Amino acid sequence: MDSNHTDAHWRTCYEQLAPKLLLFARQWLPSMADAEDAVQNAFVRFWRHQPQAGAEHYPLLYAAVRTSALDLIRSRDRREKREADDRVDVSRADTPVFDTTIDQREHAEAVQAALDQLPQAQREVVVLKVWGELTFAQIAQALGESINTIASRYRYALEAMRRHIKPHDYERV
Amino acid sequence: MNESEFEHELRALRPAAPAPSLVKRIAAELPATHAITVAPSRTLDHAPAAGVVARPERGSTLLGLLRGLLWAGAGAAVASFILLNREPQAPVPSPTTTAPSMAVSGTADETVSELIDSTDEGLIYDQDTPQRQMRLTYLERHVWTNPQTGAVIEFEVPREDIVLMPVAMQ
């Protein structure tokens, strides 16, 4: 394969997926810098092994980001234990997770808060389905779970988020 | 509000874009990969034209196969020769080294017989005499050295003996 062709391949993939992958990585790594590191590691590893990857392989890219993020957390934890350093919690607030207009800012913060209160297993499904725009089958492939499990998690997560964001809808019922 | 409207509200939010430096960092790491991918075509003496797949030379494969067959044949011949001329040996309970028992036109021979397994297969009766049947598995390792050329031929042969040991009944 021509290297320019491959170059165009990964750049197209990057333009399509980079913000989505970054949002996915930030579910484990709130710091923007850490999340970017995870995306970079995963992206490079993925394209090294799959230089001719097509859109059908993209769910594996999310799986690679997940692995990379978890690796980063483990290595950071080890380093922090070794250095007996105070853990610096980088707040999401300093680098917003969503690109928003002024009108959307309040809603975006509520959505992020609702996401934060979800269990990890549900949160990753919501992010992949809503913002990653993957199908349940693709999410199941990326996370190594059954489609039914993924669909259930999504349903529970969406319900929990709606209760968190729109409590008054439920007060009226 | 039903679920699809809620999903629509969520989708209206766009994930934040990464810093512009991220794509540069990835680009800096990926070209090394591409070099590995295209390297084989660069090492050819005659660069193939576009669309032509360079085939591996058939001769080298045949030569390798022929060489392998020759070695296998030589090994089999030596093994057959030793097995045909081998004297029956008593069971050896532990690894031993025997003195060279054969000399074939200027080659030295060393044989190590190593007991690797023994199985007690119980008592059997031979003409009303109880005997214990033991199955002994050996690995015979033969090393031949040609003092003139220094060539060393080494091969291993598995051997299995069934031994009947008299049992004294009290």
Side-chain angles (χ1 to χ4, degrees):
Chain A
M1 173 180 279
D2 183 67
S3 66
N4 289 334
H5 192 77
T6 309
D7 195 63
H9 246 93
W10 76 255
R11 283 182 189 276
T12 305
C13 173
Y14 180 87
E15 283 165 17
Q16 286 176 5
L17 298 186
K20 299 172 183 177
L21 294 172
L22 193 66
L23 176 66
F24 188 52
R26 290 189 75 180
Q27 302 313 307
W28 289 274
L29 302 162
S31 153
M32 184 70 149
D34 284 349
E36 283 188 351
D37 283 349
V39 169
Q40 180 185 348
N41 291 342
F43 205 87
V44 169
R45 201 183 309 162
F46 176 81
W47 282 99
R48 275 184 182 162
H49 289 101
Q50 311 238 16
Q52 298 173 33
E56 70 275 15
H57 298 108
Y58 290 172
L60 299 175
L61 190 47
Y62 283 96
V65 168
R66 185 175 189 256
T67 305
S68 189
L70 293 174
D71 285 349
L72 210 61
I73 289 171
R74 275 192 288 269
S75 66
R76 192 179 57 188
D77 286 349
R78 279 199 297 271
R79 193 180 64 233
E80 283 178 357
K81 279 179 190 165
R82 200 169 53 239
E83 296 173 357
D85 211 358
D86 289 338
R87 182 170 181 158
V88 179
D89 185 24
V90 181
S91 166
R92 291 175 198 274
D94 64 343
T95 45
V97 171
F98 296 105
D99 276 340
T100 54
T101 61
I102 295 172
D103 295 341
Q104 288 179 314
R105 191 163 298 161
E106 198 176 334
H107 177 54
E109 286 172 7
V111 168
Q112 185 57 60
L115 270 177
D116 285 347
Q117 53 90 37
L118 290 177
Q120 183 72 59
Q122 291 180 14
R123 193 162 71 218
E124 60 188 8
V125 171
V126 170
V127 170
L128 290 176
K129 182 79 174 77
V130 175
W131 293 285
E133 297 173 288
L134 299 186
T135 64
F136 283 140
Q138 288 173 321
I139 297 171
Q141 184 192 0
L143 301 183
E145 300 280 1
S146 75
I147 295 177
N148 286 339
T149 303
I150 297 299
S152 299
R153 283 181 191 170
Y154 182 67
R155 201 169 52 246
Y156 288 131
L158 227 52
E159 187 65 19
M161 286 181 74
R162 199 159 53 165
R163 280 177 187 275
H164 192 272
I165 295 171
K166 310 265 184 189
H168 50 274
D169 285 1
Y170 292 87
E171 285 164 8
R172 283 196 218 115
V173 175
Chain B
M1 177 188 284
N2 61 35
E3 198 164 280
S4 61
E5 282 175 23
F6 184 63
E7 283 178 286
H8 185 72
E9 269 189 20
L10 295 178
R11 284 204 177 95
L13 296 172
R14 306 309 307 167
S21 61
L22 181 59
V23 69
K24 291 177 188 168
R25 280 156 51 191
I26 291 172
E29 282 200 53
L30 277 175
T33 311
H34 301 156
I36 291 167
T37 307
V38 298
S41 63
R42 288 178 185 166
T43 59
L44 292 174
D45 293 337
H46 49 88
V52 176
V53 177
R55 293 174 184 277
E57 287 186 23
R58 202 172 276 250
S60 60
T61 310
L62 283 174
L63 198 64
L65 185 63
L66 195 63
R67 191 180 296 133
L69 282 173
L70 278 174
W71 275 108
V78 172
S80 305
F81 181 83
I82 288 174
L83 287 174
L84 288 173
N85 290 281
R86 182 167 58 85
E87 292 176 5
Q89 290 182 341
V92 183
S94 61
T96 56
T97 304
T98 60
S101 59
M102 289 172 285
V104 182
S105 60
T107 58
D109 175 29
E110 182 183 299
T111 301
V112 177
S113 181
E114 184 180 355
L115 178 66
I116 56 174
D117 188 32
S118 65
T119 309
D120 184 350
E121 296 184 330
L123 292 177
I124 61 166
Y125 285 84
D126 180 24
Q127 294 177 349
D128 294 336
T129 308
Q131 294 182 319
R132 184 174 299 282
Q133 180 168 306
M134 298 290 292
R135 187 179 294 271
L136 306 172
T137 309
Y138 297 89
L139 187 66
E140 289 188 346
R141 190 174 293 111
H142 304 275
V143 181
W144 286 24
T145 308
N146 187 333
Q148 292 168 346
T149 62
V152 177
I153 299 174
E154 188 175 333
F155 62 94
E156 293 177 344
V157 184
R159 180 164 62 87
E160 197 170 75
D161 291 345
I162 296 176
V163 180
L164 297 175
M165 303 171 74
V167 176
M169 301 293 282
Q170 294 179 346

